């Protein structure tokens, strides 16, 4: 069975409440339910974690890195600032896909730089909450060595 960890960074707990024109109307709990239901339908075990604290995110990466096969990470604002999250992901030596609900390249210039992208196996940005679903789908082939490209 494939085991994935989904890590969400600062302010994602405010989904459905903040900047709906950018992040949509689904709540964070709706997102979690969607991810869990989709993963279950694909026979994937998924651990989901959100924190507004960089240190807590790093600790969870270390913890999950002991037993998951890969990560789906939306580091949110920390994407553009955190060398420490990058180092944690590299330290556990597991593949990861960087996701963003909004299109970070259509937003402020400072959001165009990611400390994760060059080490991620892929980046999915701007496809709303479906970014998570597409990342899970990709892992179902990637972790089995079945990429078709």
């Amino acid at each position: 069975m494939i085991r994935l960890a989904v890590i969400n960074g600062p302010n994602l707990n405010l989904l459905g409440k903040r900047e709906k024109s950018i992040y949509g109307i689904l709540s964070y709990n709706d997102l979690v339910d969607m991810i869990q239901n989709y993963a279950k339908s694909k026979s994937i075990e998924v651990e989901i974690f959100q924190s507004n604290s960089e240190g807590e995110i790093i600790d969870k990466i270390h913890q999950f890195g002991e037993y998951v096969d890969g990560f789906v990470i939306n580091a949110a604002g920390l994407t553009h600032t955190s060398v420490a999250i990058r180092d944690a992901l590299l330290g556990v030596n597991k593949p990861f896909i960087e996701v963003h609900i909004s299109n970070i390249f259509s937003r402020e210039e400072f959001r165009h730089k990611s400390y994760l992208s060059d080490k991620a196996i892929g980046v999915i940005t701007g496809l709303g909450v479906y970014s998570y679903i597409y990342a899970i789908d990709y892992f179902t082939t990637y972790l089995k060595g079945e990429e078709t490209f």
Side-chain angles (χ1 to χ4, degrees):
M1 175 177 276
I2 293 173
R3 285 186 242 151
L4 297 176
V6 176
I7 305 280
N8 289 300
N11 300 311
L12 284 163
N13 57 302
L14 296 176
L15 286 178
K17 299 175 186 172
R18 69 181 278 241
E19 299 172 284
K20 293 178 185 178
S21 64
I22 295 173
Y23 299 106
I25 61 171
L26 289 181
S27 71
Y28 184 73
N29 288 337
D30 292 336
L31 173 66
V32 169
D33 289 345
M34 182 186 79
I35 292 168
Q36 288 174 331
N37 290 335
Y38 189 76
K40 184 177 180 180
S41 77
K42 297 290 186 178
S43 299
I44 294 172
E45 185 180 314
V46 67
E47 298 271 359
I48 303 172
F49 177 76
Q50 186 276 328
S51 178
N52 295 318
S53 168
E54 182 179 34
E56 289 179 4
I57 291 168
I58 291 165
D59 289 342
K60 277 297 183 182
I61 291 169
H62 294 171
Q63 178 186 347
F64 290 151
E66 294 289 323
Y67 62 89
V68 300
D69 301 304
F71 288 88
V72 175
I73 183 160
N74 183 346
L78 294 172
T79 300
H80 321 290
T81 63
S82 183
V83 173
I85 289 176
R86 173 193 174 98
D87 288 347
L89 287 164
L90 295 176
V92 297
N93 197 32
K94 298 292 171 90
F96 68 92
I97 296 175
E98 177 183 347
V99 301
H100 299 283
I101 293 170
S102 69
N103 180 352
I104 61 174
F105 299 105
S106 69
R107 299 185 64 197
E108 304 92 343
E109 183 72 27
F110 70 85
R111 295 187 194 276
H112 299 183
K113 169 67 176 150
S114 166
Y115 281 97
L116 308 178
S117 295
D118 67 318
K119 297 300 181 182
I121 60 172
V123 179
I124 304 170
T125 181
L127 301 179
V129 294
Y130 293 102
S131 297
Y132 295 89
I133 299 302
Y134 302 139
I136 291 167
D137 271 346
Y138 185 75
F139 265 125
T140 63
T141 57
Y142 177 83
L143 291 171
K144 294 176 185 175
E146 298 175 355
E147 301 104 324
T148 58
F149 57 90

